[in-house]
């Protein structure tokens, strides 16, 4: 498991071993009012497969007591009190779009809905920073960004945390963004992968898949990390209801994944 002890850090600093930073090109001066924490790596959880619905909007939005109709090609997964519904479709660049992401290049787009069917709030880690490691979310964090890697021959788009690498120490706990889902409520959002798909995971400060994605991969699945730690999240300066919470690898059944399905073609 990952243990974080942080007291209002102003920034973060990553160290591997006693002397050298893991990612020297991204090293920062860490000013913390508490002691430097030491983390130990935990293995990633085995996802809870099941069966996912289309959802609209560029970023997640919450609706209380909503009912979602599964569309053609939708996949649904249920884990505990969480239901995940998702569809994938080819996406083209938007007119005049620049920069990175599905708006500027062809790719695959997942529309998803997460529903809390239980009686307690849950936290969905569904706002993934492009570079995991900072103690705060960047103001321009892309709500549609997801990690992209191959798992057992299946293309996985996933919004989740990862365990720190062996002997990696953080002066300030890295954070991810998320949304609280109240009992009976749902959130909707999007995730994307460029096409042909390529590996997109956190840097080597974290334990993450490193094998390149096979461009000929035939199946996909979508995953979201959901936990009962909603009370440990804090409001983010990003706004829009986005919360910040310490990043950690999914434990137990926290990683909810749709079953493998054939990647659609244009």
């Amino acid at each position: 498991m990952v243990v974080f002890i942080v007291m209002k850090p102003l920034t973060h600093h990553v160290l591997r071993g006693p002397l050298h930073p893991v990612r020297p090109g991204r090293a920062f001066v860490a000013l913390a009012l508490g002691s430097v924490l030491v983390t130990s790596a935990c293995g990633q959880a085995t996802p809870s497969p099941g069966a996912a619905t289309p959802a609209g909007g560029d970023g997640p939005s919450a609706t209380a007591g909503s009912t979602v109709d599964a569309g053609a090609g939708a996949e649904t997964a249920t884990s505990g009190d969480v239901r995940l519904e998702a569809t994938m479709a080819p996406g083209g660049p938007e007119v005049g779009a620049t920069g990175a992401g599905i708006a500027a290049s062809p790719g695959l787009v997942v529309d998803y809905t997460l529903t809390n069917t239980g009686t307690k709030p849950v936290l969905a880690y569904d706002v993934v920073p492009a570079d995991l490691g900072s103690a705060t979310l960047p103001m321009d964090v892309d709500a549609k960004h997801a990690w992209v890697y191959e798992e057992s021959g299946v293309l996985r788009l996933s919004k989740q945390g990862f365990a720190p690498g062996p002997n990696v120490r953080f002066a300030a706990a890295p954070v991810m963004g998320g949304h609280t889902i109240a009992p009976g409520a749902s959130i909707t959002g999007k995730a994307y992968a460029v096409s042909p798909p390529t590996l997109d995971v956190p840097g080597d400060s974290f334990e993450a898949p490193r094998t390149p994605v096979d461009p000929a991969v035939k199946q996909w699945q979508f995953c979201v990390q959901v936990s009962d730690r909603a009370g440990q999240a804090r409001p983010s300066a990003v706004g829009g209801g986005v919360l910040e919470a310490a990043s950690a690898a999914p434990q137990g059944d926290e990683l909810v994944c749709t079953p493998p399905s054939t990647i659609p073609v244009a």
Side-chain angles (χ1 to χ4, degrees), residues 17 103 116 128 153 209:
N116 180 2
V128 177

Side-chain angles (χ1 to χ4, degrees), residues 64-96:
S66 61
T67 300
V68 182
D69 251 344
E75 301 293 342
T76 304
T78 301
S79 177
D81 294 327
V82 177
R83 185 174 72 249
L84 170 63
E85 300 166 294
T87 58
M88 175 182 278
E94 298 172 3
V95 176

Side-chain angles (χ1 to χ4, degrees), residues 126-154:
D126 61 339
V127 183
V128 177
D131 184 16
L132 184 60
S134 176
T136 58
L137 282 177
M139 293 300 295
D140 61 348
V141 64
D142 181 3
K144 299 183 291 296
H145 180 249
W147 306 122
V148 180
Y149 57 95
E150 190 173 327
E151 179 68 25
S152 302
V154 177

Side-chain angles (χ1 to χ4, degrees), residues 88-94 101-111 190-196 263-266:
M88 175 182 278
E94 298 172 3
I102 197 63
S105 61
L108 299 166
V109 182
V110 173
D111 288 279
K190 291 179 180 288
Y192 65 78
V194 296
S195 183
I263 295 176
V265 294

Side-chain angles (χ1 to χ4, degrees), residues 150 196-197 213-219 263:
E150 190 173 327
V213 174
D214 181 355
V217 63
K218 300 298 185 185
Q219 292 189 306
I263 295 176

Side-chain angles (χ1 to χ4, degrees), residues 90-218:
E94 298 172 3
V95 176
T98 60
I102 197 63
S105 61
L108 299 166
V109 182
V110 173
D111 288 279
Y112 66 89
T113 298
L114 271 172
T115 302
N116 180 2
T117 62
T119 59
K120 297 180 180 180
V122 296
L123 177 64
Y125 295 80
D126 61 339
V127 183
V128 177
D131 184 16
L132 184 60
S134 176
T136 58
L137 282 177
M139 293 300 295
D140 61 348
V141 64
D142 181 3
K144 299 183 291 296
H145 180 249
W147 306 122
V148 180
Y149 57 95
E150 190 173 327
E151 179 68 25
S152 302
V154 177
L155 177 67
R156 177 178 290 182
L157 280 68
S158 187
K159 297 191 175 188
Q160 65 173 92
F162 290 92
N167 302 319
V168 173
R169 297 175 292 174
F170 292 97
V175 300
M176 289 180 55
H179 290 85
T180 295
I181 311 177
S186 298
I187 62 171
T188 63
K190 291 179 180 288
Y192 65 78
V194 296
S195 183
T198 59
L199 182 69
D200 181 2
V201 293
D204 56 7
S205 298
F206 295 88
E207 289 190 333
R210 302 297 170 193
T211 303
V213 174
D214 181 355
V217 63
K218 300 298 185 185

